[in-house]
């Protein structure tokens, strides 16, 4: 078998606040996130196939990640739905701002877990999500690997 990994990178701007945190990140602030999505599969070998030699068309992967992650999160503010910031979130939403109330504390670690579950459900059966790397700043990132998360 000839498994190959391919990676597509994405950027988006998202604000958040960490409820209960003991540092500056308890305040509403934002990041220019960079997300690297790596999938693994066997290149198509069927003669005459328009995507011959591809594990997956980068455009198809882009469409999935754009619909599941980039479009919803770009220029949104994400809050833990159990935070006292819910009043602020509701005010922002009522004024037309993009707000996400998540079931988790919006750390890079939890966001990358959320992203992995969303992307995995959209991949074709012959393609597996290999890893995600979510860069929050130039020096800080969270990574998710399928090998660390057996199902």
């Amino acid at each position: 078998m000839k498994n190959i990994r391919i990676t597509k990178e994405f950027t988006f701007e998202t604000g958040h606040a960490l409820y209960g945190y003991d540092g500056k990140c308890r305040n509403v602030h934002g990041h220019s996130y960079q997300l690297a999505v790596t999938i693994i599969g066997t290149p198509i070998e069927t003669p005459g196939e328009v995507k011959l030699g591809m594990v997956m068309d980068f455009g198809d992967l882009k469409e999935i990640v754009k619909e599941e992650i980039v479009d919803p999160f770009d220029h949104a503010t994400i809050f833990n739905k159990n935070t006292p910031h819910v009043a602020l979130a509701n005010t922002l939403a009522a004024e037309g701002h993009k707000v996400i109330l998540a079931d988790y504390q919006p750390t890079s670690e939890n966001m990358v877990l959320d992203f992995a579950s969303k992307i995995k459900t959209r991949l074709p059966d012959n393609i597996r999500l290999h890893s995600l790397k979510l860069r929050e700043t130039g020096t800080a990132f969270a990574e998710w690997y399928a090998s660390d998360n057996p199902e």
Side-chain angles (χ1 to χ4, degrees), residues 4 6 10 27 67 80 82 87 90 104 110 120 140 147 149:
I4 302 292
I6 64 168
F10 304 86
N27 299 304
E67 289 174 5
N80 179 326
N82 297 314
N90 291 336
Y104 54 83
N110 285 330
K120 285 190 319 184
S147 60
N149 296 281

Side-chain angles (χ1 to χ4, degrees), residues 69-83:
I69 312 303
V70 177
D71 288 349
F73 283 83
D74 190 36
H75 286 82
T77 305
I78 182 171
F79 297 103
N80 179 326
K81 71 176 186 179
N82 297 314
T83 180

Side-chain angles (χ1 to χ4, degrees), residues 1-138:
M1 188 179 274
K2 303 171 189 166
N3 280 323
I4 302 292
R5 297 174 193 163
I6 64 168
T7 301
K8 179 91 177 118
E9 296 178 334
F10 304 86
T11 59
F12 54 95
E13 311 293 324
T14 302
H16 70 156
L18 301 181
Y19 168 55
Y21 183 64
D22 62 353
K24 291 191 277 185
C25 292
R26 71 178 173 267
N27 299 304
V28 178
H29 65 287
H31 297 284
S32 295
Y33 287 97
Q34 296 175 331
L35 176 65
V37 178
T38 302
I39 60 172
I40 188 168
T42 303
I44 296 168
E45 296 179 340
T46 308
E49 169 63 47
V50 296
K51 297 182 182 185
L52 180 67
M54 296 181 183
V55 171
M56 182 177 194
D57 188 317
F58 282 112
D60 294 341
L61 180 57
K62 177 182 177 181
E63 183 178 325
I64 290 169
V65 177
K66 193 170 174 326
E67 289 174 5
E68 294 294 331
I69 312 303
V70 177
D71 288 349
F73 283 83
D74 190 36
H75 286 82
T77 305
I78 182 171
F79 297 103
N80 179 326
K81 71 176 186 179
N82 297 314
T83 180
H85 289 110
V86 167
L88 172 61
N90 291 336
T91 299
L92 289 170
E95 293 180 7
H97 294 272
K98 200 157 127 181
V99 174
I100 297 170
L101 291 174
D103 292 333
Y104 54 83
Q105 179 82 310
T107 61
S108 290
E109 296 90 337
N110 285 330
M111 289 170 69
V112 83
L113 287 169
D114 180 31
F115 296 172
S117 69
K118 289 177 177 177
I119 294 168
K120 285 190 319 184
T121 63
R122 295 282 308 273
L123 293 174
D125 291 339
N126 62 324
I127 305 294
R128 295 183 326 275
L129 183 61
H130 176 268
S131 63
L132 297 176
K133 181 176 188 174
L134 181 62
R135 185 172 289 282
E136 184 176 279
T137 69

